[in-house]
Amino acid sequence: MLFSHVPENLWRDYNWQIKNRIKTLDELQRYLKLIPEEVEGIKKTEGVYPMAITPYYLSLIDPEDINDPIRLQAIPRISEVDEEIQSRGEPDPLKEDGSIPGLTHRYPDRVLVSVTSFCAVYCRHCMRKRIFAQGERARTKDEIDRMLSYIREHEEIRDVLISGGEPLSLSNEKIEYILRGLRSIDHIEIIRFGTRLPVLAPQRFFDEELLDILDRYSPIWVNTHFNHPREVTELSEEAVDKLLRRGIPVNNQTVLLKGVNDDPETMLELFRKLLKIKVKPQYLFHCDPIKGAVHFRTTLDKGIEIMRYLRGRISGMGIPTYALDLPGGKGKVPILPNYIIDRKGDKFLFESFTGESVEYTIDEPI
Ligand SMILES: *Cc1c(COP(=O)(O)O)cnc(C)c1O
């Protein structure tokens, strides 16, 4: 363990984790022997795609493995700013940026709001890498009020997804301000937080005051982001348990990442571990063409292969929807392996989970 000298009470303290984030090459070299791609990567991404890693998340890295899946998600490599990689993808392919800063209204009933650019850890595959360069800035009260007014004026919105950056990095007071504002709007039914803190700094959820606030503004759902079975730890399980005990369901969104989790066995183990801690795998996202992160993309066939592998090996509860985001902000599309091999009228030929072809005639309903 890289941090075995840190006393338990500090290790379990979210503010200590944030205050002691590793943000420079010198600091990181104290803990890990870096490879040249990383040393150059940290230097060249400075100010463009900065680095920050909580001691907790860093401690999950196996120092002996240069291709450790957590290492690949947390430590910059030169490839991010490599000419070839930079020439591909776009800063905002999903067209999230619109007329109200931080607010994306794509589906009629749902709205996405980004309340801060701060994150506990800057994931190298982040779909909002474009905001890294803005520095660590929470939205001002005026900006939040503008978002709230927009939501108030649009009665078709029922569901608000609060994201960032890391929305739960805001102070309890700010979080409560946003929640109180949303709950004063009659047409808002559910509120969701898109937070990776259960993975990056689970200590945040050991704060009973935060849990009280989340409890008070129910119904609240949490969408989190586990990508690898090794991220499912005792502390992350404890964080999830704290949420579940307050009646907050925790769903997971994994991103399919080359070198990190693009392998059927790894994915199966991840989803099994998530079910064990009562987290529902909701989405498996195909990696978007994000400028500076396209080296994490796999083929679509890889995702389909993984989905096919899961069926029959894990409960349907553990199988997420594989989805991609259409370019230009046209929304998400689910992708499934094809289980209908052939069809003649009402006579179907299906493929079973074992790969067997099964004929099934489905009559006209009476
Ligand atoms: C993904 C997304 C949502 C939420 O979609 P769900 O399928 O309900 O999780 C909402 N708004 C935007 C802009 C999104 O990209």
Side-chain angles (χ1 to χ4, degrees):
M1 238 279 262
L2 298 170
F3 292 92
S4 42
H5 61 284
V6 179
E8 174 90 355
N9 64 320
L10 292 183
W11 192 252
R12 292 179 60 87
D13 179 349
Y14 171 75
N15 292 321
W16 184 89
Q17 290 287 340
I18 295 301
K19 214 181 307 154
N20 288 282
R21 290 185 305 161
I22 290 88
K23 298 203 278 193
T24 65
L25 178 60
D26 285 351
E27 286 172 293
L28 189 57
Q29 273 172 330
R30 267 186 251 152
Y31 299 103
L32 281 181
K33 189 171 159 14
L34 299 177
I35 58 171
E37 288 95 313
E38 291 169 330
V39 173
E40 280 308 296
I42 294 166
K43 286 181 188 162
K44 295 269 163 59
T45 55
E46 209 188 316
V48 193
Y49 305 129
M51 170 179 78
I53 312 172
T54 55
Y56 165 79
Y57 199 57
L58 188 65
S59 78
L60 304 183
I61 294 177
D62 170 3
E64 303 302 320
D65 180 6
I66 60 163
N67 290 318
D68 178 276
I70 287 142
R71 185 172 187 141
L72 292 175
Q73 291 180 74
I75 302 178
R77 291 200 177 182
I78 190 71
S79 36
E80 291 181 34
V81 285
D82 169 285
E83 214 172 301
E84 161 74 10
I85 304 277
Q86 279 288 312
S87 71
R88 299 223 225 154
E90 289 174 52
D92 182 21
L94 311 188
K95 299 278 175 286
E96 289 187 327
D97 295 337
S99 54
I100 308 230
L103 186 141
T104 315
H105 190 187
R106 172 164 312 145
Y107 302 103
D109 64 315
R110 279 159 279 174
V111 73
L112 173 72
V113 295
S114 163
V115 294
T116 178
S117 62
F118 179 97
C119 263
V121 172
Y122 292 102
C123 301
R124 308 329 298 175
H125 58 276
C126 183
M127 67 175 295
R128 304 211 177 96
K129 255 183 128 144
R130 65 183 187 278
I131 72 174
F132 286 13
Q134 295 171 9
E136 300 183 316
R137 191 179 80 81
R139 297 248 171 245
T140 61
K141 188 175 164 298
D142 280 354
E143 288 172 319
I144 297 285
D145 288 344
R146 268 180 83 186
M147 295 183 189
L148 288 170
S149 309
Y150 179 94
I151 295 168
R152 196 180 300 279
E153 285 157 19
H154 287 77
E155 291 183 16
E156 69 277 22
I157 300 173
R158 296 159 184 269
D159 173 354
V160 179
L161 176 47
I162 307 173
S163 184
E166 177 48 70
L168 293 179
S169 70
L170 296 184
S171 67
N172 290 349
E173 291 68 30
K174 270 212 170 122
I175 292 170
E176 180 151 29
Y177 180 81
I178 297 169
L179 291 176
R180 197 186 311 120
L182 289 173
R183 280 288 172 236
S184 73
I185 303 172
D186 280 345
H187 52 268
I188 295 309
E189 293 172 0
I190 63 166
I191 299 171
R192 293 189 269 174
F193 281 97
T195 170
R196 205 180 183 201
L197 286 181
V199 180
L200 306 173
Q203 296 83 352
R204 180 67 175 107
F205 302 97
F206 304 165
D207 173 4
E208 294 295 328
E209 189 185 86
L210 171 69
L211 298 168
D212 284 342
I213 293 169
L214 298 180
D215 201 347
R216 206 174 304 141
Y217 294 92
S218 171
I220 288 182
W221 293 62
V222 158
N223 285 352
T224 191
H225 179 41
F226 285 91
N227 279 337
H228 194 276
R230 289 241 316 280
E231 293 170 344
V232 184
T233 64
E234 275 178 32
L235 287 180
S236 65
E237 176 173 6
E238 195 177 332
V240 166
D241 190 61
K242 292 276 188 190
L243 289 165
L244 294 174
R245 283 181 196 282
R246 296 300 189 118
I248 301 161
V250 184
N251 288 333
N252 188 66
Q253 308 190 338
T254 298
V255 183
L256 177 56
L257 300 170
K258 192 168 164 176
V260 173
N261 59 14
D262 60 336
D263 154 68
E265 264 305 316
T266 304
M267 225 44 120
L268 178 62
E269 192 191 346
L270 170 64
F271 298 145
R272 279 194 182 139
K273 280 189 143 179
L274 289 178
L275 285 188
K276 272 176 82 176
I277 65 167
K278 295 189 277 185
V279 171
K280 159 86 182 106
Q282 180 203 6
Y283 275 128
L284 170 62
F285 285 124
H286 192 70
C287 185
D288 293 317
I290 304 297
K291 190 177 162 83
V294 295
H295 51 298
F296 284 111
R297 302 189 90 204
T298 66
T299 61
L300 204 65
D301 288 330
K302 177 53 77 179
I304 294 171
E305 176 199 337
I306 290 169
M307 293 306 292
R308 199 179 276 284
Y309 186 81
L310 295 173
R311 188 68 57 188
R313 288 186 172 86
I314 185 170
S315 155
M317 285 195 299
I319 302 182
T321 301
Y322 180 39
L324 59 73
D325 258 290
L326 291 172
K330 303 285 181 173
K332 296 180 181 56
V333 184
I335 305 147
L336 265 178
N338 185 21
Y339 292 106
I340 301 177
I341 307 168
D342 198 14
R343 171 182 187 173
K344 287 195 181 68
D346 55 8
K347 215 165 127 183
F348 289 84
L349 190 63
F350 290 105
E351 184 183 323
S352 80
F353 75 90
T354 58
E356 189 186 347
S357 303
V358 182
E359 243 183 56
Y360 185 9
T361 303
I362 301 185
D363 309 329
E364 282 289 312
I366 292 171

